[in-house]
């Protein structure tokens, strides 16, 4: 320190004073917080300003008379508190149930629980259209699962078409959820078919919704319903074998070509459509050497019992597969192990296109739909995998006789 | 126009000649719901007024029905989930007897069955049960305190 410089006076308060001041500050903060918490709890739990905050005692803990007492106390403090009236209505099952419902309907007409109660009341009084109107609103605007389940049951009841038809214009906003619940609850699907057919023909619901329902029908084995709905979407006649020339992109969940789902990294066959000169699009299959998931590709074909001929063209190059590939027609009903028809093994053609054909005899026991599928000619060859490439084009199925 | 396009058009034309030349045996009358018909080459949704040809097969869906009016005076009605193949060599009685169920509901892969095609009486009971089920869902939900509390605002 240089000589002549004066030392600055120590402006700090003594330690003891600072300690006392800090203590007073903490005490003031604690008092403020205690007061604020009390006020907030009063607002949140008694006046229900912010009932969504998890601050209050769980009212569900209180039961029966205790709960009624609690609600009455709350209403005495705040007579216009609609939520307490609603809850009181819900637990009241005696003489006051109906008057309370009327009162609460006037007090909170758009409360989802009140709407749900009113829908239940209308259903009990057999006023289906009005009940369905409320339930649809609850699904569309309130996303209420109970309303969705109720609509699913109404749809499965067989009376759903008439009740739900007036709401088809907004079908895209509630029908997908209802169909999802219909399948999840394992309710009967056929009663929903007429409504879906109307929705499909009027174009009021999107394609994925119809595809979802077709897939559900297929999964339930309701082939005739699934096919008739799919066909109604085609807007005109379609060949027995759909997209046999592979010109259109494959559409899932219908009656188009479909592959067995496998991870790309484990796929034994990579199926695609590619352009092949003047042929246009063809079915292209690249074999990777990994085990093959069978069928490589399939189409469920709607064909009543009878005799058919499948013909088409194929080409393969550097195909290394024991006994080659084979097309087979297998019943969806009865014994699928015995094919209704099967081609000879299709060996390597060294890059040239060749024709092939085979007869299919669909027995009455087969049902209305069979699976036309590409397999390995030798069943054991699938696990060994294949190498090379194959392509197919111009597949056609024609009936030969009954 | 590619060779393939020409082939497609030509094939469709030949198919229509091959399968469309079946003699017209009558007319489709009333159609309810979804009904499908196939002439052996193509499949289409059945519509009223459509010609009925020899060898044609009609299949009704679980909610479909169709009345077939043949020129020989024979009229037959397919109820839901039924099928018939029209054969000009058959008498009206034989054709009516040839109406068969359109196959049981069997899940792909041959395992399990699913309900479908129940009679109208069963469907009626199901309807009552369904509406009652919907009512009880709503009623029970409304009486559930927790549900009331969770969605009260």
């Amino acid at each position: 320190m240089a000589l002549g410089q004066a030392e600055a006076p120590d402006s700090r308060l003594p330690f003891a004073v600072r300690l006392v001041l800090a203590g007073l500050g903490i005490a003031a903060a604690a008092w403020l917080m205690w007061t604020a918490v009390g006020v907030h709890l009063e607002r949140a739990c008694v006046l229900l300003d912010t009932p969504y905050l998890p601050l209050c005692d769980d009212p569900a803990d209180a039961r029966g008379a205790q709960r009624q007492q609690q609600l009455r106390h709350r209403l005495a403090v705040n007579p216009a508190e609609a939520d307490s009236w609603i809850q009181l209505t819900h637990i009241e099952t005696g003489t006051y149930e109906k008057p309370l419902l009327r009162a609460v309907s006037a007090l909170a007409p758009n409360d989802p629980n009140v709407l749900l109660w009113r829908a239940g009341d209308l259903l009990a009084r057999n006023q289906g259209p009005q009940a369905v109107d409320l339930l649809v609103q609850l699904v569309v605007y309130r996303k209420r699962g109970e309303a969705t389940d109720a609509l699913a049951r109404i749809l499965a009841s067989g009376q759903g078409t008439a009740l739900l038809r007036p709401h088809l214009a907004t079908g895209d906003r509630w029908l997908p959820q209802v169909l999802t619940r219909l399948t999840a609850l394992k309710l009967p699907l056929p009663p929903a078919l007429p409504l879906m057919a109307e929705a499909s023909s009027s174009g009021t619901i999107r394609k994925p919704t119809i595809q979802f329902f077709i897939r559900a029908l297929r999964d339930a084995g309701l082939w005739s319903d699934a096919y008739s709905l799919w066909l109604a979407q085609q807007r005109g006649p379609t060949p027995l074998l759909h997209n046999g020339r592979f010109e259109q992109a494959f559409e899932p969940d219908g009656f188009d070509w479909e592959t067995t789902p496998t991870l790309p990294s484990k796929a034994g066959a990579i199926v695609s459509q590619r352009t092949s000169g003047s042929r246009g699009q063809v079915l292209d299959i690249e074999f990777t050497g990994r085990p093959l998931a069978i069928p490589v590709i399939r189409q469920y074909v709607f064909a009543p019992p009878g005799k058919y001929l499948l013909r088409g063209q194929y080409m393969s190059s550097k195909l290394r597969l024991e006994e080659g590939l084979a097309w087979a027609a297998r019943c969806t009903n009865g014994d699928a192990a015995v094919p209704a028809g099967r081609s000879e093994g299709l060996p390597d053609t060294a890059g040239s296109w060749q024709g092939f054909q085979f007869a299919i005899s669909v027995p009455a026991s087969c049902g209305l739909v069979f699976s036309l599928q590409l397999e390995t000619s030798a069943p054991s060859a699938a696990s060994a995998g294949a190498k090379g490439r194959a392509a197919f084009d111009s597949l056609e199925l024609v009936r030969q006789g009954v | 126009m590619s060779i393939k396009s020409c082939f497609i058009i030509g094939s469709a034309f030949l198919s229509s000649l091959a399968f469309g030349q079946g003699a017209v045996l009558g007319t489709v009358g009333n159609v309810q719901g979804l009904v499908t018909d196939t002439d052996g080459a193509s499949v289409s949704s059945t519509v009223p007024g459509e010609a009925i040809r020899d060898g044609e097969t009609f299949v009704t869906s679980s909610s479909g029905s169709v009345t077939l009016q043949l020129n020989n005076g024979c009229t037959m009605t397919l109820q839901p989930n039924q099928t018939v193949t029209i054969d000009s060599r058959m008498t009206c009685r034989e054709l009516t007897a040839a109406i068969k169920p359109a196959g049981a509901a069997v899940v792909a892969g041959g395992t399990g069955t699913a309900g479908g095609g129940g009679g109208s009486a069963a469907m009626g009971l199901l309807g009552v049960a369904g509406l009652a089920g919907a009512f009880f869902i709503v009623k029970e939900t409304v009486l559930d305190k927790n549900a009331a509390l969770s969605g009260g605002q």
Side-chain angles (χ1 to χ4, degrees):
Chain A
M1 182 183 296
L3 289 174
Q5 264 188 329
E7 281 188 24
D10 190 354
S11 60
R12 290 185 302 176
L13 291 169
F15 176 73
V17 176
R18 279 187 284 150
L19 199 64
V20 169
L21 286 175
L24 284 173
I26 290 168
W31 173 80
L32 194 63
M33 193 180 83
W34 181 254
T35 308
V37 165
V39 170
H40 278 298
L41 283 175
E42 173 84 1
R43 302 294 307 180
C45 304
V46 179
L47 300 179
L48 285 179
D49 269 4
T50 50
Y52 46 86
L53 292 178
L55 295 170
C56 316
D57 294 335
D58 186 359
D61 289 347
R63 294 182 183 282
Q66 190 190 349
R67 179 76 184 127
Q68 279 183 327
Q69 193 63 35
Q70 206 176 52
L71 288 168
R72 283 179 182 144
H73 170 70
R74 196 182 274 183
L75 287 167
V77 175
N78 186 0
E81 207 291 287
D83 192 56
S84 292
W85 284 113
I86 292 163
Q87 291 178 48
L88 196 59
T89 309
H90 291 161
I91 58 175
E92 177 64 51
T93 54
T95 320
Y96 299 112
E97 185 184 6
K98 294 282 178 186
L100 271 172
L101 175 68
R102 279 198 296 274
V104 88
S105 296
L107 195 63
N110 294 316
D111 179 272
N113 291 305
V114 174
L115 290 173
L116 209 50
W117 206 101
R118 281 175 54 204
D121 191 45
L122 289 165
L123 279 173
R125 287 191 279 127
N126 216 18
Q127 294 182 13
Q130 294 90 333
V132 165
D133 189 41
L134 286 180
L135 291 170
V136 169
Q137 282 183 47
L138 281 164
V139 174
V140 171
Y141 299 111
R142 306 285 184 161
K143 318 286 182 214
R144 289 299 292 251
E146 308 90 335
T148 313
D149 284 4
L151 285 178
R153 288 192 185 277
I154 289 168
L155 189 54
S157 73
Q159 301 170 32
T161 304
L163 291 170
L164 291 164
R165 185 180 288 122
H167 301 280
L168 264 187
T170 58
D172 241 356
R173 301 178 68 185
W174 56 269
L175 199 46
Q177 298 93 304
V178 172
L179 292 176
T180 302
R181 292 304 296 160
L182 190 73
T183 53
L185 294 169
K186 300 191 185 309
L187 294 168
L189 302 177
L193 184 64
L195 188 76
M196 291 302 293
E198 286 183 30
S200 170
S201 65
S202 62
T204 51
I205 55 172
R206 284 180 294 177
K207 205 167 185 178
T209 306
I210 299 170
Q211 287 175 321
F212 171 85
F213 189 63
I214 292 173
R215 184 172 68 236
L217 288 169
R218 273 181 36 164
D219 290 347
L222 300 164
W223 291 103
S224 178
D225 285 355
Y227 189 81
S228 60
L229 184 58
W230 176 83
L231 185 63
Q233 280 198 291
Q234 305 305 307
R235 316 279 183 204
T238 183
L240 281 180
L241 187 67
H242 180 72
N243 201 9
R245 294 184 172 91
F246 306 102
E247 291 297 324
Q248 304 157 35
F250 301 161
E251 278 197 355
D253 302 325
F255 288 81
D256 202 344
W257 296 107
E258 49 197 82
T259 55
T260 304
T262 44
L263 288 172
S265 58
K266 292 183 178 174
I270 298 167
V271 178
S272 61
Q273 288 163 279
R274 68 172 169 85
T275 305
S276 175
S278 59
R279 288 185 166 274
Q281 295 271 93
V282 300
L283 174 70
D284 182 70
I285 304 166
E286 183 188 346
F287 296 97
T288 64
R290 298 188 191 94
L292 285 166
I294 300 298
V296 176
I297 190 167
R298 75 146 41 117
Q299 181 175 141
Y300 287 110
V301 180
F302 182 86
K307 296 183 188 304
Y308 297 86
L309 183 76
L310 184 104
R311 56 187 173 222
Q313 297 182 328
Y314 85 106
M315 179 274 288
S316 56
S317 66
K318 297 176 183 172
L319 181 66
R320 280 190 285 153
L321 174 64
E322 184 191 347
E323 295 183 33
L325 294 159
W327 284 96
R330 296 189 182 277
C331 296
T332 54
N333 197 353
D335 189 3
V338 181
R342 197 162 194 259
S343 73
E344 296 291 319
L346 304 173
D348 186 62
T349 66
S352 67
W353 284 90
Q354 294 182 7
F356 73 97
Q357 65 177 41
F358 66 97
I360 299 171
S361 179
V362 181
S365 60
C366 195
L368 293 168
V369 173
F370 67 78
S371 168
L372 179 68
Q373 55 190 54
L374 185 63
E375 311 171 340
T376 54
S377 185
S380 59
S383 56
K387 279 287 210 181
R389 212 175 190 105
F392 292 89
D393 193 22
S394 303
L395 266 58
E396 191 180 17
L397 185 70
V398 286
R399 189 153 78 177
Q400 301 284 290
V402 179
Chain B
M1 186 181 288
S2 69
I3 295 171
K4 190 171 176 182
S5 300
C6 292
F7 179 74
I8 291 169
I9 294 168
S11 178
F13 177 69
L14 288 173
S15 292
S16 68
L17 283 180
F19 292 95
Q21 65 188 7
V24 175
L25 301 179
T27 313
V28 173
N30 189 31
V31 178
Q32 292 285 325
L34 293 174
V35 181
T36 302
D37 64 85
T38 173
D39 58 7
S42 63
V43 195
S44 56
S45 295
T46 308
V47 292
E50 181 183 311
I52 301 170
R53 295 181 184 277
D54 195 12
E56 202 164 11
T57 301
F58 292 85
V59 182
T60 55
S61 66
S62 63
S63 54
S65 65
V66 63
T67 303
L68 305 176
Q69 296 162 339
L70 300 184
N71 295 337
N72 61 7
C74 181
T75 299
M76 64 184 109
T77 300
L78 294 191
Q79 300 299 334
N81 278 331
Q82 290 190 331
T83 180
V84 71
T85 299
I86 304 299
D87 188 336
S88 59
R89 295 166 299 180
M90 287 183 175
T91 63
C92 189
R93 181 175 290 181
E94 287 171 330
L95 275 173
T96 306
I99 297 173
K100 293 173 184 161
V106 177
V107 178
T111 54
T113 59
S120 56
M123 200 56 85
L125 285 173
L126 188 65
V128 172
L131 280 183
F135 166 69
F136 283 117
I137 282 180
V138 173
K139 186 75 177 168
E140 282 169 17
T141 303
V142 167
L143 289 173
D144 181 355
K145 280 189 289 185
N146 293 327
L149 291 166
S150 65
Q153 296 294 308

